[in-house]
Amino acid sequence: MNKKTRLSIFLTFILIIFGGGQYLTAADDDYREKQWRQKLPAHADDNDDKGGHRERKRERHRNDDYNESYLRQVNNPIYKEECGGCHFVYQPELLPSASWMKILANLDDHFGEPIELSDDSKKAISDYLKSNGAEYSSAKRAVKIMRSVGNQVPLRITDVPYIRKKHHEITPSVLKRQSIGSLSNCSACHVTAENGIYEDDNVMIPK
């Protein structure tokens, strides 16, 4: 065997050793990565992480859906105190702003009763109702209210076409029950009305 042949065999041997070593190293790295991934929680995997991200995004959407599905709770203390002393404190989103402004402009005859408010209280209530009327809400119920009123400016929530349609199966005799009194007494049947939730599942008509 001449020197040239021996050199060729030696070089081939070197390539096999180093090539195989690299292959083994790569295989070992793959094995360690698989083991590492198996030890990680499901959401740590790249694909699972995307799934986790989607789940978190869905959760945020569910929270957003709460805001869009339900009316916002009344959070103005002056409005609560001044108006809630006589009747249920209606969410501003139940009427267009123009309706609220028209109501506040006629406090001398507030559905048959005179209402006295200080200038500061009237302004605070006016600002609150005006900036939170149905047209400024993305809640599904407020959107339907606005669609139903069109160019009308109803003075009563019970005059809103959408509201009347939702209650068309309620007979006058039911509304006249002492526990209800009238259609305007929302909280009598809508047990979660104070939270802005008027879903059918949360209705309990009292005897």
Side-chain angles (χ1 to χ4, degrees):
M1 184 181 298
N2 56 35
K3 290 183 178 180
K4 188 175 182 180
T5 302
R6 286 199 298 272
L7 179 60
S8 177
I9 292 173
F10 176 74
L11 290 175
T12 301
F13 178 71
I14 293 298
L15 287 174
I16 290 174
I17 290 176
F18 280 94
Q22 291 175 354
Y23 173 78
L24 288 174
T25 301
D28 188 50
D29 287 343
D30 287 342
Y31 174 78
R32 282 198 297 269
E33 183 178 358
K34 288 179 181 177
Q35 292 294 100
W36 174 72
R37 288 185 180 278
Q38 287 174 359
K39 293 178 181 178
L40 286 175
H43 65 271
D45 185 82
D46 287 343
N47 292 330
D48 288 336
D49 187 55
K50 291 178 182 177
H53 175 72
R54 285 194 296 269
E55 181 59 34
R56 289 191 294 273
K57 190 174 181 181
R58 280 196 294 269
E59 183 63 31
R60 286 197 298 271
H61 281 317
R62 281 196 287 271
N63 292 334
D64 291 341
D65 285 343
Y66 181 90
N67 295 330
E68 293 181 359
S69 297
Y70 310 135
L71 305 182
R72 291 185 292 271
Q73 294 184 43
V74 173
N75 59 9
N76 184 289
I78 298 175
Y79 174 56
K80 275 178 147 181
E81 181 180 352
E82 296 290 355
C83 301
C86 298
H87 57 71
F88 172 72
V89 185
Y90 303 103
Q91 286 83 13
E93 297 158 280
L94 289 169
L95 280 176
S97 297
S99 295
W100 291 118
M101 296 304 99
K102 198 169 181 179
I103 291 171
L104 288 173
N106 294 282
L107 291 180
D108 290 340
D109 183 13
H110 186 66
F111 305 109
E113 296 289 337
I115 301 295
E116 293 184 6
L117 288 176
S118 68
D119 291 341
D120 289 342
S121 293
K122 186 174 180 179
K123 185 181 186 308
I125 293 172
S126 177
D127 290 346
Y128 174 64
L129 294 175
K130 185 176 181 179
S131 60
N132 290 282
E135 72 268 35
Y136 299 116
S137 174
S138 59
K140 64 179 183 181
R141 210 165 301 281
V143 171
K144 291 178 180 179
I145 286 172
M146 287 306 300
R147 285 176 182 168
S148 73
V149 298
N151 295 323
Q152 302 175 54
V153 184
L155 289 179
R156 297 175 182 268
I157 293 171
T158 53
D159 288 338
V160 173
Y162 167 73
I163 300 295
R164 297 191 69 83
K165 182 179 178 181
K166 289 291 291 183
H167 296 84
H168 75 279
E169 294 181 353
I170 307 297
T171 63
S173 61
V174 170
L175 295 176
K176 289 178 182 178
R177 291 175 183 172
Q178 188 174 359
S179 55
I180 300 176
S182 72
L183 187 59
S184 62
N185 188 11
C186 303
S187 57
C189 302
H190 294 276
V191 295
T192 53
E194 187 177 345
N195 298 323
I197 303 173
Y198 292 87
E199 301 298 314
D200 293 342
D201 291 341
N202 302 98
V203 171
M204 292 180 63
I205 300 177
K207 300 296 185 181

